[in-house]
Amino acid sequence: MEPTGQNSPLGNHTALVEFILLGFSNVPKLQGFLFGIFLIIYIMILMGNSLIIIITKVDTSLQTPMYFFIGNFSFLEICYVSVTLPRLLADLCRQNRKLSFLACAVQMYFFLIFGATECFILTAMAYDRYVAICNPLLYPVIMNSRRCIKLAAVCWITGIPVHIGFTYQIFTLPFCERNQMDHFFCDVPPVVQLACGDTFMIEMLIYVIAALVVTIPFLLILGSYVKIISTILKLPSATGRAKAFSTCSSHLMVVTLFFGSGIVVYLRPKSTHSSGMDKYFSLFYTILIPVFNPIIYCLRNKDVMAALGKFLQK
């Protein structure tokens, strides 16, 4: 394929450029095994998160702001993982791993949208815990159903316009002969690595977007938890402190896992980037965390376990 029209807009690139996702082709003997593992993981994610959505809707004891956001988060996890895992499963079954320029752009766009929404939902959940523990008397007034719906809507909508422009900027970069991507989906770092010419401006834009979508929410969550922990430590009874910590620990675990792996991939210096390492870090925050989500929120939560028991009995 001739690398003509390198500086043409997105529409012209679509007909001229395709990518090849190498994925896990470096271990051909394990393709069947990996397909089985990832299929089981995908089913677990769909079933586990769907179950959380159902029980938070049908059980009246779970119809509180905290579980409203957990339900949103579980639905988001299903959307988030469905952007990447079905394609990975398909690639493990076939030799042809080509992905059109447009399909790659669409996959990246939805991955970025759901990733940004996850950051914002986790921030909203931290705010909910902050109000519940630091202002318990005002909690029912502040976190009323209308405000919860507005917060969730803002979380879902905010990233859409930002990532339309961001994705467009990435895919208007000039691409040359190299089209093999050592990754299992169209993530930002491996796509930018395939661009030829000066990518300095887009790399700076990546840092700006990552700061807005990842760093600022993370700092807001961190600030919330500093206040939360300070308030919990002032509680007079050990039982009260233990109960307050238990309501926050699950969310704190998810935040640590998600933001930790995301920051490593998107905010570390370019000189330390390795496509192979990025691929495995991406596995962590795109696949493993959605698996952990139902486990963390169910097994560590007596209310959810009780509601689940009642639901299964019915």
Side-chain angles (χ1 to χ4, degrees), residues 163-180:
H163 285 110
I164 288 174
F166 183 43
T167 307
Y168 179 81
Q169 289 297 319
I170 290 172
F171 283 89
T172 49
L173 288 169
F175 291 91
C176 304
E177 294 92 343
R178 293 186 307 148
N179 67 345
Q180 292 191 346

Side-chain angles (χ1 to χ4, degrees), residues 152-296:
V154 168
C155 291
W156 281 94
I157 294 167
T158 301
I160 293 174
V162 174
H163 285 110
I164 288 174
F166 183 43
T167 307
Y168 179 81
Q169 289 297 319
I170 290 172
F171 283 89
T172 49
L173 288 169
F175 291 91
C176 304
E177 294 92 343
R178 293 186 307 148
N179 67 345
Q180 292 191 346
M181 197 183 306
D182 187 14
H183 217 286
F184 61 93
F185 73 99
C186 285
D187 201 359
V188 175
V191 171
V192 172
Q193 283 175 9
L194 293 180
C196 50
D198 186 13
T199 59
F200 176 77
M201 289 305 295
I202 201 70
E203 286 164 15
M204 290 301 100
L205 185 59
I206 290 169
Y207 283 116
V208 171
I209 297 293
L212 291 173
V213 172
V214 180
T215 309
I216 292 176
F218 180 71
L219 291 175
L220 288 171
I221 293 169
L222 197 62
S224 297
Y225 272 100
V226 168
K227 291 278 190 180
I228 288 168
I229 292 168
S230 174
T231 303
I232 289 172
L233 292 175
K234 292 175 184 176
L235 293 175
S237 72
T239 305
R241 289 195 295 271
K243 188 176 179 181
F245 271 122
S246 70
T247 64
C248 301
S249 59
S250 299
H251 177 250
L252 200 53
M253 285 175 67
V254 174
V255 166
T256 304
L257 291 169
F258 181 75
F259 280 95
S261 53
I263 286 169
V264 167
V265 171
Y266 289 101
L267 290 176
R268 77 182 194 273
K270 185 186 175 184
S271 59
T272 64
H273 268 278
S274 160
S275 57
M277 287 303 295
D278 283 352
K279 177 168 65 178
Y280 293 111
F281 275 122
S282 298
L283 266 179
F284 193 78
Y285 65 79
T286 58
I287 296 174
L288 293 182
I289 292 173
V291 175
F292 293 147
N293 177 43
I295 297 170
I296 290 170

Side-chain angles (χ1 to χ4, degrees), residues 28-59:
K29 293 181 179 179
L30 293 177
Q31 300 296 291
F33 173 75
L34 289 173
F35 176 84
I37 292 294
F38 287 126
L39 180 61
I40 292 168
I41 287 173
Y42 190 40
I43 292 169
M44 286 173 61
I45 291 169
L46 295 180
M47 290 180 63
N49 286 288
S50 296
L51 200 55
I52 289 178
I53 294 167
I54 292 167
I55 61 174
T56 54
K57 289 291 183 185
V58 301
D59 195 294

